[in-house]
Amino acid sequence: MNRHPQRISFRFSARSRFAACLVATADGAPAPGWWDLDGTRPPYAGGTPRYREGASAETTATQVLPTEDGGLLRLRGAAGSGRHLLLLSPAESLSPAEDPDEPPARGPAEDPAERLSVGARGLRLVPGGPRGTLALAVETAHDGRTRVWRVLPAPLRLSDPLTLPGRVTALLPLDGTGCRYATDLEGPDGHRPVSLDLRDGRWHALPSPANGRVHRLLLSAPASGLLLTAGDPGDGRLRIAHATLGDRPRLDFPDRLNSLDGAVLPLAADPAGERVALRVSRGAQARLFLYDVGADQPRPAELPPGAFHPVAGWSAGGLRVVYATPDRPADLVTVPGTATHPARYDAAYEPASDTREARSGTQRSPSGTLGTPSGTSDASGTPHAPTEWFATPSGRFEAVRLGDWRTAPTVVVALHGGPEDHWTLGHDPVLARLSEAGAAVVAPNQRGSTGYGRAHAEAIHGAWGVPDLADIRVLVRTLTEQRPPGAEPPVLLGTSYGGFLALLAVCADPYTWARCAVIAPFLSARGLRERSSPAVRALIDRHGLGEPPDDDLGPRDVERLAHRIRVPVLALHGCDDPVVPVDETHRLRRALTAAGGPERAPHDCLDIAGAGHHPLQERGGAELTDRLVSFLTAGFPDRRRSPAPPGLTVADAAVRHRPSSAVFGHITHDERTPS
């Protein structure tokens, strides 16, 4: 099976001439990938982008950042250690393959690079800095203060630290010197926008609404002095403001910019600072708009709805966005009509793929930019994997749909994590694999999902597993009622919070599901709060634990309810998960085993040595994905009913399926190479 490479963590250099990402190799371990977008490095100078991949020695936590001279910085951190390893691969070691028809060149087992061990907490890399600086490094100390370092070469080192009395968000350049930046500084009264000078460490306040408050800075364009910020002008509405700096600073809230229907996020400004790329999201779908700042005029770009990564780059070679659809992984796309110089030849975009077969899936337009990726839309621009709305007694919710769930032999209900998250028209490698295997996928954005307004997202505050579980219970009834008689019941897939919700669903309705697979699940909000990290505890506290619901299930605790499960369960959990402790899956295994009896649900709970919160995206992830897809799509001929757990009847229960022994198997520690 041809598997498109999966790419995450895209970054651009300060002037957007270079880009980098992490790309999954054949065994699932990430490797750095990078582009020379405008052909600034020989032998491909002259506007011809080229791509290269490094060695698969990274994890999904590695930060990659291209430098403005064509080099590559990598920052590796060990969870909880307070130590980081900073590596610099110089431009000379990153020459692309000579033949553009050959697969991308790969580095040796470990790329030659300068190395620097750094003791810091929460270190992150930011593009920019004064002349001679590779990048900026930002550290948030235990006391809440922030230190900003310059990353310098020859030898690789951190230099000239500046300390700010609070946490900061993004650093946005305010001029072409690389010395003045805008940032949000957290103080006793919340965040406030300030201007920071790296030369002397001084900072001063930037314009804020007179009767409102600024929430965060969004985008800057040093060439024109453009600064966009999300602000509340005092009427309770969050809008985008254009800040004018100088002797008479002020904020303007452009009418047309703030009349777009959806959540608006500025992605990048053109080199002159006259146009801005906007991502406009409505629920699961997003569109790209190009906004003329002077005319206050947005217009849609020539790309169909999909998913757009929150970073983009705009150089003389054009606007490059990270674009994905359900059937095409995230990749760099050059937006038509955005270049300020002609391309060298009509293949101005070289997709990052491992084989010529994978590269053949792109369409090249006569203008030298990438046209609509094949398989993403029909002639009318309607995506082949549309969304569908499902009604519930309390309203309705949207779901991303792959395939026809009414006729497919297997229907997978996929529950997202978070819970502050939602499914989009982006590419999920597991859902795509399920679709390729012939399964239909319904990925719901039930109550609790973001992207549909405050009321929808906050419905589960203090009530994890209550209104969202009610939506999933209605969904499975709808799916079952509209499938042919005798069709296999839907199966469940959930990750993290989605794993918690999936397990609750098979506890609540044991006979309406066929199978359940979970990745990094937890068993209850209270239990997770007791055993998790400070960051996870803060999320739970922000949502609130609430009171146990007064219904037939009672407290939402899978450990207490596990005896009700009557379907096969597969659980995958990384042993080094920093978000949800692997002990949650150990507790699930014990609870399922303790249920006992001939009707006990068959289960496999796998500890993945060396893996974190996303084991499918790490070394050995390809094998785990195969196992997961085989489990979810297995059709079982032996169909039986088992006795109902106490308090339930089986009058309306769907037919239950038992797995063959081939579906289940254990991964021993020596079968998985730690990443």
Side-chain angles (χ1 to χ4, degrees), residues 150 247 433 615:
R150 293 174 60 187
D247 296 335
R433 285 286 312 283

mmCIF file of all heavy atoms in Angstrom, residues 150 247 433 615:
data_model
loop_
_atom_site.group_PDB
_atom_site.id
_atom_site.type_symbol
_atom_site.label_atom_id
_atom_site.label_comp_id
_atom_site.label_asym_id
_atom_site.label_seq_id
_atom_site.Cartn_x
_atom_site.Cartn_y
_atom_site.Cartn_z
ATOM 1 N N ARG A 150 19.740 34.950 22.514
ATOM 2 C CA ARG A 150 20.136 34.897 21.109
ATOM 3 C C ARG A 150 20.886 33.600 20.869
ATOM 4 O O ARG A 150 21.771 33.235 21.634
ATOM 5 C CB ARG A 150 21.031 36.086 20.745
ATOM 6 C CG ARG A 150 20.333 37.431 20.800
ATOM 7 C CD ARG A 150 21.318 38.564 20.563
ATOM 8 N NE ARG A 150 21.960 38.442 19.267
ATOM 9 C CZ ARG A 150 22.969 39.237 18.860
ATOM 10 N NH1 ARG A 150 23.442 40.188 19.663
ATOM 11 N NH2 ARG A 150 23.501 39.082 17.670
ATOM 12 N N ASP A 247 4.241 58.219 16.770
ATOM 13 C CA ASP A 247 3.971 59.313 17.715
ATOM 14 C C ASP A 247 2.534 59.309 18.210
ATOM 15 O O ASP A 247 2.253 59.719 19.340
ATOM 16 C CB ASP A 247 4.290 60.662 17.056
ATOM 17 C CG ASP A 247 5.769 60.804 16.720
ATOM 18 O OD1 ASP A 247 6.579 60.125 17.387
ATOM 19 O OD2 ASP A 247 6.104 61.567 15.795
ATOM 20 N N ARG A 433 -6.260 5.579 6.796
ATOM 21 C CA ARG A 433 -5.990 4.152 6.646
ATOM 22 C C ARG A 433 -7.269 3.339 6.778
ATOM 23 O O ARG A 433 -7.490 2.361 6.051
ATOM 24 C CB ARG A 433 -4.975 3.700 7.697
ATOM 25 C CG ARG A 433 -3.537 4.118 7.419
ATOM 26 C CD ARG A 433 -2.924 3.306 6.294
ATOM 27 N NE ARG A 433 -3.165 1.878 6.486
ATOM 28 C CZ ARG A 433 -2.507 1.113 7.348
ATOM 29 N NH1 ARG A 433 -1.566 1.635 8.103
ATOM 30 N NH2 ARG A 433 -2.788 -0.172 7.448
ATOM 31 N N PRO A 615 1.720 7.384 20.491
ATOM 32 C CA PRO A 615 2.584 6.259 20.094
ATOM 33 C C PRO A 615 2.528 5.931 18.609
ATOM 34 O O PRO A 615 3.495 5.390 18.070
ATOM 35 C CB PRO A 615 2.060 5.097 20.942
ATOM 36 C CG PRO A 615 0.662 5.476 21.318
ATOM 37 C CD PRO A 615 0.677 6.967 21.455
#
